[in-house]
Amino acid sequence: METQEELDVRVLVPMDRHTLLNKMFNELPAGESFIFINDHDPKPLFYEFQSIHGDVVGWEYLNQGGREWKVKVTRLANSVGRDFEGAATLIDLRKTKEEDKKHTVFHRYGMMLVGDTMELISEGYPNEIKEIFDTKFQGEFDWKYKKQEPQEVIAHITKVKVHDKKLEESNIIENFDLRPYPPAQRHDMVFDTFDKLKSGEAFVFINDHDPKPLYYQIEAENTEPFKWEYLVSGPIEWKIKVSKD
């Protein structure tokens, strides 16, 4: 029996994972499948595939939990993907289980970069989700209704900036998002910025997993006292403030 090749996407930055897996499903012939390995539950991707292509997505967990989630994805039948212009991702809440709706939306929003847009489709107004955006991401997003009909409401949610009161502190000299960069470049960005810090200054960075190994490396290689503060601790986004005393 032939063993199916497994694609480990953990080596890719999140947006590259998303792009690659979407492309693979788009090109997958009916009846065929692929297996991929991720470092967290990729269930929101299932709902995105389903939102775009309809009920033709086979989704089987071969391994669940920890840092290895292995999924077999099968195209059950031919389909034509839904067109959605001006958006980086599409989530149809009508195709999403009630208990998964909020996680799916905010997981995908957490992975979006500034300037990206999510197209959100629902039956009726998604008031609870809108309230969470207003409360948690005030000033960070733009929400526009593109269609408002009884059975189909379409909203475009654009991430316009990342706003955090803690980033307004005068001692923060730089803040950056590591997720679009490969691992080796992330390492250099953090260490180069740390080297630039003067006493009393700080920088903030965002990563897609807990960067604790960087903490231990800074601790081992530097004699200067520093602080490492988690502003956000996962599960999709880790935001760290590093300062020199």
Side-chain angles (χ1 to χ4, degrees):
M1 183 177 179
E2 185 178 350
T3 302
Q4 189 167 3
E5 186 177 352
E6 299 173 355
L7 175 65
D8 191 341
V9 299
R10 293 174 295 184
V11 299
L12 302 175
V13 300
M15 292 308 297
D16 287 348
R17 301 179 198 181
H18 178 263
T19 300
L20 175 61
L21 293 171
N22 266 290
K23 183 176 185 292
M24 289 178 66
F25 191 83
N26 286 342
E27 298 174 353
L28 195 65
E32 295 194 11
S33 60
F34 62 84
I35 295 172
F36 74 95
I37 303 170
N38 201 35
D39 54 14
H40 61 271
D41 187 353
K43 195 172 187 180
L45 189 65
F46 162 73
Y47 288 119
E48 183 172 10
F49 285 171
Q50 192 179 49
S51 298
I52 297 169
H53 298 281
D55 298 323
V56 300
V57 186
W59 187 270
E60 178 186 359
Y61 286 102
L62 305 179
N63 190 68
Q64 294 177 267
R67 295 279 292 172
E68 182 176 296
W69 293 74
K70 188 182 296 185
V71 182
K72 181 178 180 180
V73 182
T74 305
R75 181 186 280 272
L76 303 176
N78 288 321
S79 66
V80 177
R82 178 171 182 152
D83 292 327
F84 57 109
E85 296 183 0
T89 185
L90 170 67
I91 302 296
D92 190 338
L93 295 178
R94 300 170 303 179
K95 296 180 177 292
T96 309
K97 289 184 179 179
E98 189 64 36
E99 63 269 24
D100 293 331
K101 288 182 178 180
K102 286 183 284 188
H103 172 69
T104 297
V105 170
F106 291 106
H107 177 282
R108 287 297 298 122
Y109 182 79
M111 289 180 62
M112 286 164 52
L113 301 178
V114 171
D116 285 348
T117 297
M118 173 189 294
E119 181 163 301
L120 191 65
I121 304 173
S122 61
E123 182 177 355
Y125 290 92
N127 293 327
E128 184 180 7
I129 288 174
K130 178 63 162 58
E131 288 172 4
I132 295 172
F133 269 102
D134 288 338
T135 301
K136 189 173 182 180
F137 302 108
Q138 186 176 17
E140 294 185 15
F141 70 98
D142 177 61
W143 181 295
K144 291 181 179 177
Y145 285 107
K146 296 293 186 177
K147 186 176 182 180
Q148 302 179 65
E149 295 183 359
Q151 301 303 314
E152 186 174 71
V153 174
I154 300 178
H156 275 198
I157 306 154
T158 302
K159 183 179 283 189
V160 295
K161 64 179 179 177
V162 177
H163 179 78
D164 192 321
K165 287 289 186 182
K166 293 180 180 179
L167 300 186
E168 296 176 357
E169 298 173 11
S170 59
N171 68 329
I172 294 176
I173 64 166
E174 203 167 337
N175 66 82
F176 48 87
D177 190 339
L178 293 176
R179 293 173 294 180
Y181 300 95
Q185 192 171 346
R186 300 182 190 191
H187 178 279
D188 291 342
M189 289 172 69
V190 170
F191 275 83
D192 289 347
T193 308
F194 182 82
D195 288 341
K196 295 176 186 175
L197 289 184
K198 299 175 183 177
S199 179
E201 292 182 338
F203 69 95
V204 173
F205 69 93
I206 299 171
N207 202 32
D208 54 19
H209 61 271
D210 188 349
K212 199 63 175 284
L214 284 175
Y215 166 80
Y216 292 122
Q217 189 169 351
I218 294 174
E219 185 179 49
E221 296 181 3
N222 292 273
T223 57
E224 300 171 273
F226 72 96
K227 291 181 181 178
W228 179 279
E229 180 184 359
Y230 286 92
L231 305 181
V232 177
S233 300
I236 305 304
E237 175 182 293
W238 277 259
K239 185 182 295 184
I240 314 295
K241 178 182 176 182
V242 183
S243 57
K244 283 185 180 178
D245 293 340

